[in-house]
Amino acid sequence: MGDVRDRQDAPKFRWQRATPNLFPDDPETSAQQVQTFGKKKTATAVALARQGSGLIKVNGVPLSLYGSPILRPKLYEPLLLLTSFTSTTTALASPLARMDIRLRVSGGGHTSQIYALRQAVAKAVVAYVAKYEDAASALEVKKVFTTYDRSLLVADPRRCEPKKFGGKGARSRFQKSYR
């Protein structure tokens, strides 16, 4: 009679959420957000950029505390490029002051994770500006990144080559003896 399965809004499966979205098309409840990713070797970083005040966290840790101090300047590169950036079309200041970025990173080593993070941040800024501001500003931001370092926006396709038989690695062979 009053069973949960009889209700219209009840989930079909146990793993589905029981409470529906009350305001599916309300723009106030759905925040402006963009999700991008960056990759380097086996490290993958996912960036979620949303409207905010400039907060950037990596795996819940502030950006200023993440990683080793030697690699941290590499992580700051996309941010430092945009601090002095002003759009010529809209005359708005740096887009970083208008967005929060949450980053998750997994896999790879320390250096690969830093490179994946910087790529995810750069791609998130470009995508956010293109989607919620204007395309001309996004092209300017993209140009700033590509003139400095193309790997900020384009992934490095190189991967580790698998080992083959007849040697200890991918290319090296065991020593050959004639006698």
Side-chain angles (χ1 to χ4, degrees):
M1 300 225 323
D3 195 12
V4 175
R5 287 170 282 186
D6 295 335
R7 291 195 341 230
Q8 291 272 336
D9 61 339
K12 289 182 180 177
F13 305 103
R14 280 187 297 181
W15 47 266
Q16 287 180 326
R17 193 173 11 175
T19 56
N21 187 359
L22 298 175
F23 309 104
D25 297 326
D26 189 15
E28 293 175 9
T29 56
S30 61
Q32 296 179 345
Q33 65 182 20
V34 172
Q35 187 173 359
T36 59
F37 68 94
K39 285 189 171 187
K40 174 73 174 173
K41 293 185 180 177
T42 57
T44 304
V46 179
L48 183 68
R50 58 174 57 163
Q51 191 174 7
S53 58
L55 180 76
I56 300 176
K57 285 194 171 186
V58 180
N59 292 343
V61 178
L63 191 69
S64 58
L65 300 176
Y66 184 79
S68 69
I70 294 171
L71 291 171
R72 215 169 284 148
K74 275 291 188 199
L75 192 52
Y76 282 130
E77 282 177 359
L79 310 177
L80 294 174
L81 288 171
L82 289 177
T83 51
S84 60
F85 174 78
T86 305
S87 176
T88 56
T89 56
T90 59
L92 289 172
S94 172
L96 289 173
R98 299 184 298 277
M99 68 174 78
D100 289 342
I101 302 175
R102 305 269 179 180
L103 296 149
R104 293 186 321 265
V105 65
S106 63
H110 301 293
T111 308
S112 295
Q113 284 190 353
I114 295 290
Y115 276 86
L117 283 167
R118 71 198 282 263
Q119 186 180 43
V121 168
K123 286 168 80 172
V125 170
V126 170
Y128 185 87
V129 171
K131 189 171 182 180
Y132 297 112
E133 291 175 14
D134 67 303
S137 296
L139 283 173
E140 290 179 26
V141 171
K142 202 172 185 178
K143 188 175 180 184
V144 167
F145 285 145
T146 51
T147 53
Y148 180 75
D149 187 5
R150 187 170 179 262
S151 67
L152 281 170
L153 296 174
V154 180
D156 188 0
R158 296 178 295 175
R159 296 291 176 264
C160 185
E161 189 176 344
K163 181 197 176 300
K164 280 93 175 177
F165 59 88
K168 66 177 184 65
R171 299 287 175 98
S172 67
R173 301 292 100 198
F174 294 131
Q175 190 170 348
K176 187 175 178 183
S177 174
Y178 288 101
R179 293 180 193 219

